[in-house]
């Protein structure tokens, strides 16, 4: 029994719910993909894709929970506060100091918190990173009075560009909360890439493209989370 | 009299100082409760083996088990007792001390003895 094994046991137990990619990230990614299909309603095959993605997301959300419970069991969680992780170089860290355990926020409260944060983050990005190269139709904006610029065509250009850093922040947040572990570095990579895509030429910032890229990233991240869980929990030994 | 690392090693709590029980207690220390299936998967033990270790840990007062019915099947939930949490923490503190002690013992043993005369 290696120390790394104990560390892995502890991490997977703490994050058992979060690592269930088929329950969370994959359905969320499918919802974004269905939104991408909605942005391109010109052809019916894409409408069909939209419908399949949308219904697939809900089916997965309902069925995946039962799958994880019957295949890997259940954990009723509590987490060690991040402060407890300061002993990462110490052998003590593999068990973690128990008195610092606090109850985790229920999933519903976490979702509400995340939704509440979206509008201020969008506004923050809009005002901090107001790209000077935004075009309205084919014209370059030179008028500094921003309130004259709030047209639908402008929003169509700005909103897709904002989706990239929003999604990128989401992945960076996951990577940070999962203790910046090497095994979670795919979240870091996606976070950096998507945040970097913010600096796009406006013609490439189509809403459908943004939703497609972000949706596909979430599906990929969810599948990688699920794969990690399967690798660690694997198949139990038979008697 | 100074306790040697070997004596410290011999004094480790045998209820915890076992690879299987250590992995069970480590998993339980990271959550409120876990069910039997999860513990079996995370530790890689067989059902019989896991049952045996859980019985020993329960007899020692380190874990508590609870059975409930879910979809007409029995589910066994396991959690650490207060004594169990203190015991695993204490165990890791002792390991930490043992590590320091072993390092200084090694240093002490590597110093050459002075030549008489």
């Amino acid at each position: 029994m290696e120390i790394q094994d104990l560390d892995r046991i502890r991490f997977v137990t703490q994050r058992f719910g979060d690592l269930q990619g088929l329950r969370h990230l994959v359905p969320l990614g499918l919802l974004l993909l269905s939104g991408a299909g909605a942005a391109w309603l010109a052809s019916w095959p894409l409408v069909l894709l939209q419908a399949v993605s949308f219904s697939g997301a809900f089916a997965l959300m309902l069925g995946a929970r039962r799958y994880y419970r019957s295949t890997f069991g259940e954990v009723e969680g509590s987490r060690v506060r991040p402060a407890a992780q300061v002993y990462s170089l110490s052998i003590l860290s593999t068990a973690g100091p128990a008195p610092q355990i606090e109850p985790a926020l229920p999933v519903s409260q976490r979702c509400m918190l995340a939704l509440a944060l979206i509008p201020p983050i969008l506004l923050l990005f809009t005002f901090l990173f107001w790209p000077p190269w935004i075009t309205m139709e084919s014209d370059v904006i030179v008028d500094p009075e921003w309130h004259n610029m709030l047209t639908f065509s402008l929003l169509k250009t700005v909103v897709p560009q904002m989706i990239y850093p929003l999604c990128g922040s989401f992945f960076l947040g996951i990577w940070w909360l999962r203790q910046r572990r090497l095994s979670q570095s795919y979240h870091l990579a996606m976070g950096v890439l998507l945040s970097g895509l913010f600096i796009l030429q406006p013609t490439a910032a189509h809403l459908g493209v943004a939703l497609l890229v972000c949706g596909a990233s979430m599906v990929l991240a969810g599948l990688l989370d699920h794969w990690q869980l399967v690798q660690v929990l694997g198949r139990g030994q038979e008697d | 009299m100074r306790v040697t690392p070997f004596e410290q090693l011999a004094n480790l709590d045998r209820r915890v100082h076992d690879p299987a029980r250590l992995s069970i207690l480590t998993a339980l220390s990271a959550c409120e409760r876990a069910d039997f299936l999860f513990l079996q998967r995370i530790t890689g033990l067989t059902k019989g083996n896991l049952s045996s270790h859980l019985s020993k840990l329960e007899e020692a007062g380190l874990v508590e088990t609870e059975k409930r019915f879910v979809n007409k099947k029995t589910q066994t939930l396991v959690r650490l007792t207060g004594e169990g949490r203190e015991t695993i923490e204490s165990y890791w503190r002792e390991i930490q001390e043992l590590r320091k002690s072993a390092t200084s013992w090694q240093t002490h043993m590597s110093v050459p003895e002075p030549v008489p005369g």
Side-chain angles (χ1 to χ4, degrees):
Chain A
M1 174 71 62
E2 302 276 346
I3 292 296
Q4 295 91 328
D5 295 331
L6 293 173
D7 187 52
R8 195 179 308 126
I9 284 173
R10 188 164 164 270
F11 173 73
V12 169
T13 307
Q14 281 178 338
R15 300 291 169 181
F16 183 60
D18 295 344
L19 287 170
Q20 293 176 13
L22 297 181
R23 268 181 75 190
H24 306 300
L25 283 180
V26 172
L28 192 55
L30 288 176
L31 284 174
L32 289 181
L33 288 176
S34 71
W40 276 315
L41 281 174
S43 60
W44 71 264
L46 286 170
V47 174
L48 189 63
L49 176 67
Q50 179 200 357
V52 168
S53 300
F54 191 79
S55 48
F58 281 100
L60 206 51
M61 276 193 279
L62 293 171
R65 187 171 183 218
R66 191 179 298 173
Y67 160 73
Y68 282 115
R69 187 190 289 163
S70 63
T71 309
F72 299 119
E74 254 184 284
V75 172
E76 291 178 17
S78 64
R79 286 192 203 152
V80 179
R81 278 203 311 233
Q85 304 306 318
V86 295
Y87 301 113
S88 58
L89 294 179
S90 162
I91 201 170
L92 194 64
S93 72
T94 54
Q100 295 191 37
I101 287 174
E102 62 183 354
L105 272 180
V107 172
S108 56
Q109 282 188 27
R110 280 187 275 172
C111 288
M112 293 299 290
L113 187 64
L115 283 171
L117 286 174
I118 288 173
I121 288 174
L122 268 176
L123 274 174
L124 183 67
F125 272 107
T126 304
F127 285 108
L128 281 180
F129 300 105
W130 190 264
W133 55 82
I134 286 179
T135 59
M136 284 170 59
E137 309 299 338
S138 57
D139 299 323
V140 176
I141 294 173
V142 293
D143 186 351
E145 291 190 32
W146 62 269
H147 57 273
N148 291 328
M149 301 180 195
L150 284 179
T151 63
F152 182 66
S153 59
L154 177 66
L155 285 173
K156 272 172 64 178
T157 312
V158 169
V159 168
Q161 284 183 305
M162 295 301 120
I163 288 175
Y164 291 112
L166 190 66
C167 208
S169 308
F170 175 74
F171 283 118
L172 289 174
I174 290 178
W175 173 73
W176 187 264
L177 286 172
R178 291 189 189 171
Q179 304 159 18
R180 283 87 58 206
R181 296 170 75 94
L182 188 61
S183 62
Q184 303 297 302
S185 50
Y186 51 89
H187 285 288
L188 172 65
M190 285 189 201
V192 168
L193 280 171
L194 288 173
S195 299
L197 283 174
F198 166 74
I199 311 170
L200 274 180
Q201 289 302 312
T203 48
H206 187 278
L207 180 63
V209 173
L211 290 174
L212 188 69
V213 169
C214 293
S217 305
M218 285 202 181
V219 169
L220 181 61
L223 290 173
L224 286 170
D225 280 348
H226 171 72
W227 177 79
Q228 280 218 344
L229 206 59
V230 170
Q231 287 297 304
V232 174
L233 297 178
R235 291 179 178 278
Q237 284 197 48
E238 301 299 327
D239 280 327
Chain B
M1 186 180 166
R2 191 182 174 183
V3 178
T4 66
F6 314 102
E7 286 162 336
Q8 281 181 296
L9 190 61
N11 289 335
L12 286 175
D13 191 336
R14 293 292 157 188
R15 299 175 300 175
V16 181
H17 192 63
D18 169 89
R21 289 198 285 275
L22 187 54
S23 59
I24 294 168
L25 292 172
T26 299
L28 291 174
S29 70
C31 66
E32 195 62 40
R33 293 196 293 190
D35 75 347
F36 187 92
L37 176 59
F38 177 80
L39 289 175
Q40 189 191 347
R41 286 300 183 95
I42 196 91
T43 58
L45 297 169
T46 61
K47 282 183 192 174
N49 235 345
L50 179 60
S51 285
S52 169
H53 286 294
L54 283 176
S55 295
K56 287 178 189 163
L57 290 170
E58 199 171 10
E59 275 170 24
L62 301 182
V63 303
E64 277 174 358
T65 58
E66 176 196 333
K67 290 190 195 298
R68 66 183 184 192
F69 287 96
V70 177
N71 298 329
K72 298 180 185 175
K73 287 184 185 173
T74 308
Q75 185 187 36
T76 304
L77 292 166
V78 189
R79 59 184 282 271
L80 280 181
T81 59
E83 185 189 342
R85 287 200 188 273
E86 282 171 24
T87 302
I88 186 78
E89 275 184 65
S90 168
Y91 172 82
W92 286 118
R93 276 197 295 270
E94 284 170 18
I95 289 286
Q96 182 79 345
E97 287 303 317
L98 175 59
R99 195 180 179 190
K100 285 182 194 166
S101 172
T103 309
S104 64
W105 176 264
Q106 194 179 13
T107 309
H108 167 74
M109 291 302 288
S110 67
V111 172
E113 290 181 5
V115 176

